[in-house]
Amino acid sequence: KLRNYDPEDEELKKRKLPPAKPASVEDTVKEQLEAAKPEPIIDEVDLANLAPRKPDWDLKRDVSKKLEKLEKRTQRAIAELIRERLKGQEEELASAVGSAKQEGSDSD
């Protein structure tokens, strides 16, 4: 079968294929263009999603776990300091009460 070669021999000319006609691609192109048109998915725009995030939002996210641990430790330390102060005040009260009893027994 001869497609591109134009033979001079009569016998070979019989075997030559007729020239190919290009197929119409207009319908295919129209279908592809229609399929490529974007459909409006969102009718309403949520303004909260359009607002930019704060520049340090990722830092807060990454540090939040560590801050939780530190907050617990801080609360424990504050509670311990309060207990120590209360113990110190109890000792002062006990010594004051003890000295008051001694002064009262001396006067008798």
Side-chain angles (χ1 to χ4, degrees):
K1 296 181 181 180
L2 304 171
R3 292 184 186 193
N4 296 329
Y5 179 68
D6 190 18
E8 293 181 14
D9 189 19
E10 292 296 325
E11 208 172 296
L12 291 175
K13 282 186 179 181
K14 293 178 186 176
R15 294 185 180 189
K16 185 178 176 188
L17 295 175
K21 295 181 182 177
S24 175
V25 294
E26 291 178 3
D27 295 332
T28 309
V29 171
K30 285 182 183 178
E31 289 175 9
Q32 289 177 353
L33 287 175
E34 289 175 3
K37 288 182 182 177
E39 297 180 11
I41 297 173
I42 302 173
D43 293 337
E44 297 178 11
V45 177
D46 186 15
L47 295 178
N49 290 337
L50 291 178
R53 291 185 174 177
K54 293 183 181 179
D56 61 346
W57 69 271
D58 57 337
L59 293 174
K60 289 181 180 178
R61 180 197 64 207
D62 294 339
V63 176
S64 65
K65 292 179 184 176
K66 294 178 182 178
L67 284 177
E68 287 176 10
K69 290 180 184 178
L70 287 177
E71 184 66 27
K72 289 179 184 177
R73 289 181 184 174
T74 304
Q75 293 298 327
R76 286 184 197 149
I78 290 172
E80 188 175 325
L81 288 172
I82 291 172
R83 285 186 194 117
E84 287 178 6
R85 286 186 184 172
L86 290 176
K87 284 182 183 178
Q89 288 179 354
E90 287 176 5
E91 290 173 2
E92 290 175 5
L93 287 174
S95 64
V97 169
S99 64
K101 284 185 181 178
Q102 288 176 359
E103 289 175 6
S105 63
D106 289 342
S107 61
D108 284 338

